[in-house]
Amino acid sequence: KRLVIEAMPSLPESETSVIIESPGAEKNKGPIWDIVLKPIVLPAVTNGKLKVLELAAGSGVHTQHFLSSILDDDKNIDIEWHPSDPDPASRASLNARAKLAVMEKYILPANGWVVGVEGGTACSDGARDTDGKTVSSTSSTVHDGADNDVVSGMEK
């Protein structure tokens, strides 16, 4: 569900209007941090540094909450947070949230994390057929995810 939030004094309305509200993410951000992530993330801090690659970051509700929680625990942690999402609207929302929360120092601009030559990303936003196989944008070759090329239903 996409809602427009009121413009904040620190950002023009054109930037805050892209923020996506997610009631589900708002509801579960606390338990996810407290029960699942906090026991894993905080011990992973090495030499005061933490690097995070967040896949399918969505609207940025979790990103903002998790980062705030880490900084509440230790403001001296050097954090490099890499959010990613295949949806351009979600990436725009995430970037706007980071800017609004003054967390751009920690949260890098969201992207789709392109990997490989097929144009897909870690978030599966490449060309996909209905079977979940990657379809090459430059040929009719279909890759089945097990390093097998399949053409016209026959293995090469």
Side-chain angles (χ1 to χ4, degrees):
K1 185 175 179 182
R2 298 178 197 275
L3 301 172
V4 176
I5 62 171
E6 292 181 33
M8 299 296 204
S10 60
L11 291 178
E13 184 177 351
S14 62
E15 291 185 49
T16 59
S17 66
V18 299
I19 293 177
I20 300 169
E21 292 299 320
S22 175
E26 289 289 348
K27 182 179 178 182
N28 67 26
K29 67 185 180 185
I32 290 173
W33 173 254
D34 294 337
I35 298 167
V36 180
L37 294 178
K38 185 177 182 179
I40 296 169
V41 172
L42 293 180
V45 175
T46 307
N47 298 323
K49 294 185 180 188
L50 177 66
K51 289 186 179 184
V52 176
L53 169 58
E54 182 183 13
L55 302 177
S59 65
V61 170
H62 289 147
T63 305
Q64 185 177 351
H65 179 74
F66 300 158
L67 187 58
S68 294
S69 297
I70 293 168
L71 292 172
D72 285 346
D73 191 69
D74 184 349
K75 295 198 182 319
N76 295 318
I77 295 177
D78 179 18
I79 302 170
E80 187 176 300
W81 198 285
H82 298 266
S84 64
D85 198 282
D87 178 47
S90 292
R91 291 193 304 266
S93 174
L94 215 151
N95 292 336
R97 280 183 187 277
K99 191 171 187 177
L100 187 62
V102 193
M103 292 183 165
E104 294 172 288
K105 171 182 172 182
Y106 307 104
I107 303 172
L108 279 66
N111 62 59
W113 289 97
V114 175
V115 293
V117 295
E118 298 305 320
T121 71
C123 296
S124 301
D125 68 340
R128 300 268 176 203
D129 68 9
T130 57
D131 295 330
K133 298 176 182 175
T134 306
V135 180
S136 171
S137 58
T138 58
S139 72
S140 60
T141 304
V142 177
H143 304 277
D144 67 2
D147 294 327
N148 299 312
D149 291 342
V150 180
V151 179
S152 302
M154 302 191 65
E155 290 188 20
K156 276 196 329 193

